[in-house]
């Protein structure tokens, strides 16, 4: 969430991100709200706030990376008037869900959402860092045993990005990984230096608990980019072949997954222009993932999604949860994530999604912020 002044100027945005907003709300002092919001083609529509010689203006239309559109392509944008921002979000989201016949999974569709789970992602004690004297498998076994001994009823375990190789590898060791660069995935397979025997003993290490596996955008150097038809853009690639996503879901099933966690959605979309070059490509990507997950009986979790990724879930069936804030200490200190989280939750609730917050370590003031 970003905020401007009465003239739609002064927005605090990251300089590396476009000055684009969707939805865009104008609030009166008494809370009355005008909301500009797309009704379809979520990845193709753009609302931009531009500084011009005559002042500030709001532009609504298609984004500038479209290279071609089919004959008859059209999009819809709505203006909602409401007594407050929550009402505007609720009414807009309800219309989208009715239009698309959206069916949301229950909160208890998987135990990763419906019950207590244990996470090893950024901000966790064992993110890229095993317990002293143990490897990662033994660390997981010790953690699960300790929690069981203390009657902490965890029902699943999440395995984060440290398990597979990236374009810019980070060591798994005592130092952990304090920096989180958006480095693409090479292979979605267990690292030989972390799991020398693959995942053969992983189920035993977590005492048979079901698992959530993290995944991210693909590196241009990945064998996947050569094997599957893909769009490549600088260091990133994005497979266009739905068989790629079927392969990932097959692997997830063989590893004992209940949930496939798709992270860095923003890097996939903004990082690969081919995904933006024609209408419907981003929707086809996400619906292919959703279909593959549905056929195999596993759920999806969205992370670091753009507003369009939030919205496209109205055509999906397997997304049980969505992260409504940024990554732990990525670009700024974690305190700001709570502002992001609480605003994002209001929108996730309106869309019928279950929000979640990343792992975090509590700490005092640092160079990044107040802690």
């Amino acid at each position: 969430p970003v905020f401007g002044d009465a003239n739609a100027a002064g927005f605090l945005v990251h300089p590396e991100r476009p000055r684009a907003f969707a939805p865009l709300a104008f609030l009166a002092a008494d809370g009355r709200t005008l909301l500009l919001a797309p009704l379809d083609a979520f990845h193709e529509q753009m609302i931009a706030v531009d500084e011009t010689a005559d002042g500030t203006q709001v532009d609504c239309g298609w984004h500038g990376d479209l290279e071609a559109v089919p004959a008859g392509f059209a999009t819809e944008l709505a203006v909602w008037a409401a007594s407050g921002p929550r009402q505007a979000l609720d009414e807009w989201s309800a219309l989208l869900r009715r239009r698309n016949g959206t069916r949301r999974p229950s909160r208890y569709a998987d135990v990763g959402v419906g019950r207590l789970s244990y996470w090893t992602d950024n901000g966790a004690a064992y993110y890229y860092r095993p317990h002293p004297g143990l490897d990662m498998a033994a660390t997981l076994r010790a953690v699960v045993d300790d929690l069981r001994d203390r009657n902490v009823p965890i029902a699943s375990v999440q395995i984060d990005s440290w398990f597979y190789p990236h374009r810019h590898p980070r060591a798994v060791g005592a130092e952990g990984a304090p920096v989180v660069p958006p480095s693409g995935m090479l292979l979605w397979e267990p690292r030989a230096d972390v799991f020398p025997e693959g995942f053969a003993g992983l189920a035993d290490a977590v005492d048979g608990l079901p698992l959530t596996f993290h995944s991210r955008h693909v590196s241009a150097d990945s064998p996947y980019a050569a094997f599957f038809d893909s769009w490549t853009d600088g260091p990133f690639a994005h497979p266009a072949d739905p068989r790629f996503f079927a392969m990932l879901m097959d692997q997830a099933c063989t590893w004992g997954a209940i949930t496939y966690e798709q992270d860095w959605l923003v890097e996939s979309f903004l990082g690969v222009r081919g995904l933006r070059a024609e209408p419907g490509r981003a929707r086809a990507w996400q619906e292919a993932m959703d279909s593959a997950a549905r056929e195999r009986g596993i759920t999806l979790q969205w992370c670091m999604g753009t507003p369009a990724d939030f919205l496209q879930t109205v055509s999906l069936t397997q997304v049980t949860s969505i992260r409504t804030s940024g990554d732990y200490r990525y670009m700024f200190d974690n305190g700001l994530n709570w502002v992001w989280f609480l605003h994002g939750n209001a929108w996730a609730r309106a869309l019928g999604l279950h929000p979640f917050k990343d792992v975090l370590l509590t700490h005092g003031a640092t160079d990044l912020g107040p802690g």
Side-chain angles (χ1 to χ4, degrees):
V2 290
F3 305 91
D5 60 23
N7 297 312
F11 283 92
L12 298 174
V13 295
H14 295 293
E16 69 274 17
R17 299 294 191 215
R19 293 178 60 82
F21 311 94
L24 178 62
F26 296 88
L27 274 67
D30 62 1
R32 287 175 299 152
T33 300
L34 285 177
L35 184 72
L36 278 173
L39 297 183
D40 57 11
F42 306 120
H43 285 91
E44 284 72 51
Q45 293 204 60
M46 187 71 73
I47 302 172
V49 177
D50 294 329
E51 301 288 344
T52 70
D54 299 323
T56 304
Q57 70 181 32
V58 176
D59 300 321
C60 304
W62 302 341
H63 66 69
D65 285 345
L66 286 171
E67 297 173 1
V69 296
F73 177 68
T75 58
E76 289 184 284
L77 181 77
V79 181
W80 291 92
S83 61
R86 284 185 179 271
Q87 181 186 355
L89 289 174
D90 287 345
E91 292 184 1
W92 166 47
S93 300
L95 174 66
L96 292 177
R97 293 167 68 183
R98 287 196 304 272
R99 273 190 164 199
N100 289 274
T102 306
R103 292 177 297 142
R104 293 295 187 209
S106 161
R107 180 182 295 275
Y108 305 102
D110 65 61
V111 296
V113 176
R115 296 179 61 190
L116 189 64
S117 54
Y118 185 85
W119 284 62
T120 64
D121 70 340
N122 183 23
Y126 299 120
Y127 179 69
Y128 278 89
R129 182 190 297 108
H131 195 74
L134 302 177
D135 60 17
M136 287 304 297
T139 296
L140 292 172
R141 182 177 293 107
V143 165
V144 171
D145 288 346
D146 176 62
L147 291 170
R148 290 273 171 83
D149 289 345
R150 291 189 283 146
N151 295 317
V152 179
I154 61 164
S156 66
V157 174
Q158 185 260 9
I159 309 296
D160 207 70
S161 59
W162 48 265
F163 88 81
Y164 55 85
H166 303 170
R167 173 63 183 84
H168 299 291
R170 286 172 284 173
V172 173
E175 295 301 316
V179 178
V180 188
S183 173
M185 171 178 69
L186 290 177
L187 292 169
W188 204 56
E189 297 176 358
R191 287 171 51 165
D193 61 327
V194 180
F195 292 100
E197 300 178 2
F199 281 156
L202 183 59
D204 176 63
V206 298
D207 198 24
L209 291 172
L211 297 159
T212 292
F213 288 94
H214 178 283
S215 185
R216 62 169 58 200
H217 53 293
V218 177
S219 168
D221 295 321
S222 169
Y224 300 143
F227 185 82
F228 296 97
D229 288 340
S230 302
W231 299 292
T232 301
D233 191 345
F236 298 152
H238 192 89
D241 189 338
R243 292 178 301 172
F244 171 70
F245 308 107
M247 179 198 73
L248 296 182
M249 301 305 160
D250 278 340
Q251 288 185 190
C253 285
T254 64
W255 296 340
I258 51 168
T259 301
Y260 173 91
E261 176 190 2
Q262 183 62 64
D263 202 354
W264 297 89
L265 286 159
V266 63
E267 298 297 339
S268 294
F269 184 63
L270 293 183
V272 180
R273 181 165 180 155
L275 199 56
R276 307 190 301 275
E278 292 186 13
R281 287 183 175 179
R283 175 173 181 160
W285 151 47
Q286 296 184 358
E287 290 183 345
M289 247 195 300
D290 190 69
S291 176
R294 182 170 59 253
E295 290 170 3
R296 291 155 181 81
I298 61 178
T299 60
L300 299 172
Q301 183 179 78
W302 263 197
C303 295
M304 291 186 77
T306 68
D309 299 322
F310 273 65
L311 290 167
Q312 195 57 64
T313 64
V314 296
S315 73
L316 310 180
T317 64
Q318 300 304 105
V319 179
T320 46
S321 56
I322 188 165
R323 199 174 78 200
T324 51
S325 68
D327 211 331
Y328 172 75
R329 303 191 78 185
Y330 177 62
M331 298 194 295
F332 46 75
D333 198 34
N334 196 58
L336 186 56
N337 266 331
W338 290 105
V339 179
W340 191 339
F341 179 58
L342 295 171
H343 282 81
N345 284 1
W347 190 18
R349 180 186 59 83
L351 286 167
L353 297 166
H354 301 301
F356 82 99
K357 171 75 183 74
D358 247 0
V359 166
L360 65 110
L361 295 174
T362 56
H363 55 79
T366 71
D367 293 340
L368 293 173

